Amino acid sequence: MEDLKVKVTDLSLFYSNNQALKNITMDIPEKKVTAFIGPSGCGKSTFLRTLNRMNDLIDNVRIEGEVLIDGVNIYDRDIDVVNLRKKIGMIFQKSNPFAKSVYENIAFGPRINGITQKSKLDEIVEFSLKQAAIWDEMQGRLHNSALSLSGGQQQRICIARSLAVNPEIILMDEPASALDPISTGKIEELIHDLKQKYTIIIVTHNMQQAARTSDLTAFFYLGELVEINKTETIFSNPGKKQTEDYISGRFG
Amino acid sequence: MNRNRKDIIIESLTGISVLLIIFIIISILAITIKGGWPNLSWKFLVEFPKDGMTKGGIFPAIVGTALMTLIMAVAAVPFGVITAIYLAEYARENSVFAKTIRFAVKTLAVVPSIIFGLFGLGFFIGFIGQNMDKIFNGGVMKWGQPSILWASLTMALLTLPVVIVSVEEAIRTIPVEMREASLALGATKWQTIRRVVLPGSVTGILTGTILAISRGAGEVAPILFTGAAYYLADLPHSLSDQFMSLGYHIYIMSTQSANVDATLPIQFATTLVLLLLTFSLNAVAVVLRYRIRKKAK
Ligand SMILES: Nc1ncnc2c1ncn2[C@@H]1O[C@H](COP(=O)(O)OP(=O)(O)OP(=O)(O)O)[C@@H](O)[C@H]1O
Ligand SMILES: [Mg+2]
């Protein structure tokens, strides 16, 4: 049995009085890819954002239940959210590089962690870009603005940027939904490579993408976790009727 | 009267008002250029006034205006930026404190400028300056009288709302995705502000600074009692010296001079210099603001 990385118990989330997540309980294994699927508005992004406490930034959010990462409840009072987020990378649906050079984008995380030595930064930038499989394309244009790159390249720069702080978990919210098939293929390949080292959680609307990239798949519906299982099982032999209807395209 | 007639009347009324405004602006420009341009020369810009201001140039007024607005900017910009950061990033929209600050900023923006002058006289000179003299100078008068420092600080109060509004607007155009990217990397809120929000707001800070300078360069009332001088044979050398300023110089020549008619050409030329200065500063600010708005879309 693989090691457990994230353990969620009875998690509920309310936006003011509107309950967006209902008593979610789930285990997420280490160094595997877990996919979240489900119709729009079912709470996938909301759930993903509870894992690095990004929902803290929204006013009037109330959270109940537990999220243990490596056995520690990240909603405990004495948890340092800043340190927690260093451990967890996040890739957003809309790629969001800073209006800085490629180099400065990647060096952003190391710099806020106090690394100032040029040679050390160079090394981290190169290593991160290589890990994100975009070093060859970027080598000669490290000092160009990241905003001048294509959408697919921007998204991989964002991945490299999050790798530069050495996370353990990477959260991806529909990372390829705005990209063409070739860029999407590159991101999927990258996910496959990265799971040797990182625990990856990916939200996707694309069933084939979930099937291709993930080891486990969780199906959400109206704020509830309907089921989570091995990806093959979910796609070949789902346990619930709702799941089957959704993946066969009968609704959602 | 049918709809159509009403429309035509309203359209013509609005058209006429627009034409009227354009006519007024063009007249002002035409009169100052016609009266001022022939008297404008390099010498005029770099010479001291002569013969009871009926001859010579306006060099000390240009330098004084420049120095005063510079000191003003040094005081108003950091203070304004910090307030804008607080309002945009830290204040809760509905907190009493934030509402109070907003109300204060709005009120500050509509206070007549002569009131700032009186306030500067009472607060900076009468209270701070005189107490400084008592404590540090053994009662010898140095700070307790009008000077370029107090005039600049008074002007800074007047232009503070301009800076705050421009900077806050620019800060709010930084997309939430950029902040989230930074925070998700483990940056603290302050690191995010310093490394993402402020660099993205540079144009806004610049716009605010320029607008403040252009406003401060033209105002007379706030410096009337706080530091502007009628005539000085020398440039200011220290913060406690008085100074000459373009706006005040025009006022003096047109109302206080022994021979107003003889100073007319110089009045026109000085007005032209002041207009060119504020127009070009405003033009730069308009361009910068346009760029920020375009970027925000
Ligand atoms: N900031 C917010 N404030 C209030 N309600 C919100 C907020 N964000 C999301 N919601 C609500 O919470 C529910 C879940 O939204 P969420 O974005 O998590 O869905 P999702 O599964 O990611 O959808 P999609 O597939 O469209 O991205 C929705 O009903 C949404 O309207
Ligand atoms: Mg979503």
Side-chain angles (χ1 to χ4, degrees):
Chain A
M1 188 54 201
E2 61 270 289
D3 290 325
L4 194 60
K5 188 70 183 174
V6 183
K7 185 172 178 59
V8 180
T9 316
D10 227 1
L11 184 83
S12 294
L13 182 144
F14 302 81
Y15 290 115
S16 305
N17 290 322
N18 168 27
Q19 186 167 9
L21 296 175
K22 296 174 186 161
N23 304 88
I24 297 198
T25 295
M26 123 170 17
D27 292 349
I28 295 172
E30 188 170 28
K31 294 185 184 158
K32 292 276 188 289
V33 178
T34 303
F36 293 171
I37 59 170
S40 199
C42 67
K44 305 176 298 289
S45 301
T46 301
F47 182 56
L48 198 71
R49 291 165 61 95
T50 59
L51 303 180
N52 65 344
R53 291 189 53 175
M54 284 306 266
N55 290 319
D56 290 17
L57 307 173
I58 302 170
D59 286 343
N60 301 319
V61 167
R62 186 159 55 84
I63 293 167
E64 290 166 3
E66 264 191 350
V67 177
L68 304 186
I69 294 184
D70 295 326
V72 177
N73 183 6
I74 62 168
Y75 284 95
D76 262 354
R77 271 224 239 113
D78 48 356
I79 287 290
D80 179 355
V81 183
V82 167
N83 275 333
L84 170 78
R85 294 200 186 120
K86 289 188 173 142
K87 229 167 85 163
I88 305 174
M90 187 164 216
I91 311 301
F92 299 80
Q93 172 170 8
K94 208 170 134 230
S95 63
N96 54 359
F98 300 125
K100 302 175 192 284
S101 69
V102 171
Y103 184 98
E104 283 306 322
N105 263 277
I106 314 294
F108 185 90
R111 279 195 204 278
I112 58 173
N113 289 333
I115 298 175
T116 48
Q117 207 187 331
K118 177 88 171 63
S119 59
K120 183 81 188 137
L121 287 171
D122 288 350
E123 192 184 307
I124 295 175
V125 168
E126 178 172 346
F127 182 74
S128 308
L129 287 168
K130 278 184 174 157
Q131 270 201 313
I134 193 171
W135 171 250
D136 293 336
E137 286 160 70
M138 289 302 127
Q139 205 174 355
R141 41 208 294 204
L142 288 178
H143 298 288
N144 294 10
S145 166
L147 299 179
S148 68
L149 304 175
S150 77
Q153 287 170 329
Q154 288 191 9
Q155 194 60 303
R156 282 182 290 149
I157 292 297
C158 292
I159 295 176
R161 178 176 69 185
S162 72
L163 297 179
V165 287
N166 244 323
E168 296 167 21
I169 302 174
I170 302 175
L171 309 174
M172 301 184 170
D173 196 348
E174 304 185 44
S177 66
L179 305 181
D180 65 274
I182 294 176
S183 305
T184 303
K186 284 188 180 154
I187 302 261
E188 287 181 12
E189 254 174 65
L190 183 57
I191 292 171
H192 188 80
D193 297 340
L194 290 175
K195 79 172 183 185
Q196 318 292 329
K197 269 187 73 183
Y198 307 96
T199 303
I200 297 176
I201 304 173
I202 176 173
V203 173
T204 178
H205 273 286
N206 179 332
M207 294 305 120
Q208 285 84 32
Q209 186 170 67
R212 279 194 299 263
T213 56
S214 69
D215 302 294
L216 280 98
T217 298
F219 173 62
F220 289 82
Y221 186 59
L222 297 178
E224 288 182 71
L225 172 63
V226 177
E227 62 178 312
I228 174 166
N229 214 327
K230 289 218 164 56
T231 298
E232 303 107 74
T233 318
I234 291 280
F235 282 95
S236 61
N237 190 15
K240 298 268 169 64
K241 175 97 175 31
Q242 281 168 321
T243 317
E244 190 181 342
D245 287 349
Y246 181 70
I247 56 182
S248 60
R250 248 166 285 170
F251 76 87
Chain B
M1 207 194 309
N2 65 26
R3 276 249 148 253
N4 242 329
R5 287 257 309 268
K6 250 189 190 169
D7 280 349
I8 291 172
I9 292 176
I10 290 178
E11 237 169 68
S12 354
L13 275 178
T14 48
I16 290 171
S17 349
V18 170
L19 285 179
L20 192 68
I21 292 171
I22 295 178
F23 173 75
I24 293 172
I25 294 175
I26 291 182
S27 311
I28 293 178
L29 276 178
I31 294 172
T32 31
I33 291 177
K34 186 166 170 286
W37 188 254
N39 304 302
L40 215 54
S41 67
W42 179 245
K43 263 178 116 180
F44 181 71
L45 297 178
V46 299
E47 270 184 4
F48 273 69
K50 276 189 288 210
D51 299 345
M53 295 184 212
T54 54
K55 299 252 165 56
I58 52 167
F59 183 63
I62 293 177
V63 173
T65 301
L67 284 177
M68 187 273 291
T69 52
L70 184 77
I71 300 168
M72 173 207 81
V74 167
V77 172
F79 204 70
V81 170
I82 290 170
T83 312
I85 291 176
Y86 175 77
L87 287 176
E89 298 285 334
Y90 288 96
R92 285 187 168 250
E93 218 42 53
N94 296 318
S95 76
V96 177
F97 189 53
K99 276 188 182 160
T100 313
I101 297 182
R102 274 182 209 289
F103 178 74
V105 171
K106 275 189 201 135
T107 311
L108 213 55
V110 298
V111 169
S113 51
I114 189 74
I115 308 286
F116 283 96
L118 290 172
F119 175 79
L121 179 66
F123 180 72
F124 288 127
I125 297 174
F127 179 67
I128 298 193
Q130 290 188 356
N131 278 313
M132 276 167 71
D133 285 342
K134 263 186 218 146
I135 297 167
F136 303 114
N137 254 2
V140 179
M141 181 113 107
K142 178 174 183 201
W143 297 106
Q145 57 188 353
S147 73
I148 191 166
L149 176 67
W150 302 136
S152 304
L153 291 184
T154 307
M155 198 65 95
L157 288 180
L158 177 100
T159 54
L160 197 56
V162 177
V163 180
I164 295 175
V165 169
S166 303
V167 177
E168 191 186 349
E169 186 188 358
I171 288 180
R172 288 192 187 276
T173 62
I174 306 288
V176 64
E177 289 86 12
M178 292 297 143
R179 298 161 201 265
E180 288 194 332
S182 168
L183 293 165
L185 285 165
T188 61
K189 184 160 184 171
W190 172 241
Q191 284 170 327
T192 302
I193 292 172
R194 211 182 75 59
R195 290 169 188 260
V196 178
V197 176
L198 285 183
S201 314
V202 172
T203 2
I205 296 172
L206 220 61
T207 313
T209 309
I210 293 172
L211 286 177
I213 288 179
S214 103
R215 175 93 197 272
E219 283 283 349
V220 177
I223 57 175
L224 209 53
F225 320 121
T226 53
Y230 182 93
Y231 173 76
L232 294 169
D234 205 357
L235 297 176
H237 292 297
S238 100
L239 288 175
S240 60
D241 285 348
Q242 286 193 292
F243 67 107
M244 289 178 70
S245 112
L246 288 170
Y248 189 57
H249 195 58
I250 296 169
Y251 166 72
I252 288 298
M253 284 188 296
S254 55
T255 59
Q256 315 285 303
S257 142
N259 187 350
V260 173
D261 284 343
T263 65
L264 259 182
I266 295 187
Q267 281 183 47
F268 272 118
T270 312
T271 311
L272 186 58
V273 170
L274 187 54
L275 267 187
L276 288 178
L277 184 74
T278 47
F279 275 17
S280 44
L281 284 171
N282 273 306
V284 175
V286 166
V287 171
L288 287 176
R289 195 159 260 191
Y290 171 75
R291 285 214 192 142
I292 297 177
R293 297 219 168 119
K294 213 171 73 178
K295 206 180 74 188
K297 274 176 199 152

